[in-house]
Amino acid sequence: MAELRFEDANTAPVIPAGGPRVLFFVHNVAESTVRKRVLAFRQHGAEVATAGFRRLTTDPDFQPDWPHTEFGVTRDRAFVRRAAQLAGAVASLFFKRGEIAEAEAIYARNLDMALLAVVASGLSGRRAPFVYEVLDVHRMLASDKPLSFIGRAVERLVLKRADLLVVSSPAFVDRYFTARQKWQGRTVLLENKVRDTPLRPPRPIRRPPPPGARPKWTIGWFGALRDQTSLDLLTRLADRLGDQVEIYIRGYLAGVSPEAFEAAQRRPNVVFGGPYRNPEDLAEIYGRVHFAWAVDLFDGGLNSDWLLSNRLYEGGLYGVPALAAAGTEVSRKVADLGLGWSFPAPYDEAVAAFLATLHADVWAAKARHILSLPESAFVDLGDTRALVQTVRELARPREIRFGAAEVLS
């Protein structure tokens, strides 16, 4: 069996100008991690064009300032409609096959986009290196339902074509790609760290803990709000602790019940502050809270146990301890770096008991420890640069030069 090797992100050389020309197939051009990846690739010398869809749940008016070919609007979990839209996208790509052939590398996020990328590569008549990126393993692939066997078989075809697999958590490889898909190829670990940009506020000096023998603690739940179980737990926690706790929520609804979300906000200690800019607003929103809610139960036992969420890195950067579910990859990261505390189920009862007896000095010591950790633990200071260099090494040299604006124009 080939040895699994994660690339060392901190040893890659600086990328010179004129980096690889990358065609990136995206599920949602307006989604924050897609934009983050494109901007980081460009920052490190790659020329990037995208092709794919958008979803109206996230920034429907967003227009990319890079070359982009759009195939329409998709919805979460609308698999039948998305299959029809993928077929329509293939027809569009047929007329773009000449431009596709000019890409030095093809990059795709998620299985449906990877399938589209493989088809596009075939239409172009040129086998450019293919990179498959996975930030979540969908339950349709990870479970034991009949449809899952079909999905994994399709994905194995994609993996046979892939020159590189990019994952955001080592557990995705250990628990899924090696264990179930028998992947033996080259793997890059690209964690969900905060992008290094001048827009990122510097790390703060933590504000003091709340005073008093029974301080009021604030828990922050930020980002894509998809986990209905977390909303229910936080609501029960607010009811249980009353004026001893505030639940501060920022982001956008991505799966939680709008009715339940509205009902939660009727409590005086549950506050929704709306969406936020990333990374511009991170210091502000994390500076208001004492804990980052890093519990994810959306796909308990599967993807939720394996992922490493953005909140873990954002909170760590700004000295905010994490609250995690025991037995998950997040809890292992929390334990390894001393980033907070993990709890067994029932989580609301365990967290409530913990907060009711937590001394402010204990919290302050944990926050100081987190702020003492190097920024590289939380910020992408070299990880994407290393990935771009790896893609550059995979890409075949070409004599024909073209500008990024010509890709899929």
Side-chain angles (χ1 to χ4, degrees):
M1 178 179 292
E3 180 183 0
L4 173 65
R5 181 168 66 92
F6 289 118
E7 305 298 317
D8 185 350
N10 295 315
T11 61
V14 175
I15 301 299
R21 302 184 288 276
V22 179
L23 176 56
F24 186 6
F25 283 84
V26 299
H27 67 297
N28 178 9
V29 70
E31 200 258 342
S32 61
T33 57
V34 167
R35 292 155 70 172
K36 170 184 172 182
R37 186 73 75 245
V38 171
L39 293 172
F41 268 46
R42 293 168 73 189
Q43 178 182 349
H44 294 297
E47 299 177 15
V48 183
T50 54
F53 299 89
R54 73 167 63 234
R55 296 181 186 175
L56 299 180
T57 52
T58 53
D59 202 352
D61 298 323
F62 171 74
Q63 295 299 325
D65 66 351
W66 58 82
H68 174 65
T69 295
E70 190 156 318
F71 302 131
V73 176
T74 62
R75 296 197 302 264
D76 290 337
R77 294 178 290 278
F79 297 116
V80 174
R81 178 180 175 180
R82 281 163 61 183
Q85 289 175 302
L86 285 173
V90 169
S92 298
L93 288 170
F94 177 80
F95 297 101
K96 297 286 186 180
R97 59 192 184 278
E99 292 94 327
I100 296 167
E102 295 297 329
E104 292 181 309
I106 294 178
Y107 197 100
R109 164 86 58 83
N110 298 345
L111 179 57
D112 51 355
M113 293 296 97
L115 284 171
L116 197 59
V118 170
V119 171
S121 180
L123 290 172
S124 74
R126 177 178 181 272
R127 193 190 184 285
F130 171 53
V131 182
Y132 179 32
E133 179 180 279
V134 177
L135 301 188
D136 287 293
V137 178
H138 197 281
R139 69 180 76 174
M140 189 272 286
L141 295 172
S143 71
D144 291 323
K145 295 180 180 179
L147 187 60
S148 301
F149 290 97
I150 298 173
R152 285 195 294 274
V154 172
E155 187 178 54
R156 283 194 290 273
L157 296 176
V158 168
L159 289 168
K160 285 182 180 180
R161 171 65 178 81
D163 298 281
L164 187 69
L165 174 67
V166 176
V167 295
S168 57
S169 170
F172 290 154
V173 177
D174 297 338
R175 302 289 297 277
Y176 177 74
F177 282 107
T178 296
R180 307 208 70 167
Q181 295 294 63
K182 310 306 178 185
W183 169 254
Q184 298 180 16
R186 193 174 184 182
T187 303
V188 166
L189 176 63
L190 190 65
E191 297 174 77
N192 290 312
K193 296 179 181 179
V194 178
R195 190 170 71 90
D196 187 27
T197 167
L199 298 175
R200 173 176 62 85
R203 301 182 84 177
I205 299 173
R206 283 297 308 166
R207 61 190 175 93
R214 300 185 69 191
K216 180 176 181 178
W217 301 107
T218 302
I219 300 172
W221 185 34
F222 305 137
L225 309 176
R226 64 177 183 174
D227 183 9
Q228 181 66 44
T229 304
S230 277
L231 176 63
D232 296 340
L233 288 169
L234 289 168
T235 302
R236 292 201 296 270
L237 191 60
D239 290 339
R240 184 182 295 271
L241 291 180
D243 60 5
Q244 287 184 260
V245 71
E246 178 182 83
I247 310 300
Y248 182 54
I249 305 173
R250 296 288 297 269
Y252 63 93
L253 303 189
V256 302
S257 161
E259 294 77 18
F261 191 67
E262 183 178 349
Q265 294 176 68
R266 298 192 189 110
R267 293 160 174 80
N269 57 347
V270 176
V271 178
F272 178 51
Y276 61 94
R277 299 170 300 166
N278 189 338
E280 295 93 321
D281 296 335
L282 292 181
E284 174 193 344
I285 65 174
Y286 282 94
R288 176 170 169 170
V289 304
H290 300 105
F291 302 97
W293 184 257
V295 174
D296 187 318
L297 301 169
F298 183 73
D299 278 327
L302 299 171
N303 184 70
S304 292
D305 286 9
W306 307 337
L307 59 77
L308 290 172
S309 64
N310 291 20
R311 300 173 198 126
L312 194 62
Y313 303 95
E314 295 168 357
L317 178 61
Y318 295 108
V320 178
L323 303 177
T328 64
E329 191 68 16
V330 168
S331 71
R332 282 185 280 276
K333 187 85 167 181
V334 165
D336 288 346
L337 296 182
L339 299 179
W341 296 273
S342 298
F343 303 91
Y347 304 107
D348 55 328
E349 294 180 13
V351 173
F354 168 74
L355 294 181
T357 59
L358 178 64
H359 196 283
D361 289 345
V362 174
W363 176 89
K366 180 68 71 174
R368 285 194 300 271
H369 163 73
I370 295 171
L371 281 173
S372 74
L373 297 173
E375 278 197 348
S376 59
F378 311 112
V379 180
D380 182 352
L381 298 180
D383 308 63
T384 301
R385 183 177 69 243
L387 175 59
V388 173
Q389 177 63 15
T390 300
V391 173
R392 185 185 183 90
E393 292 168 356
L394 290 172
R396 299 171 183 172
R398 290 179 63 86
E399 296 179 358
I400 299 175
R401 180 89 171 106
F402 70 103
E406 295 176 53
V407 185
L408 296 184
S409 58

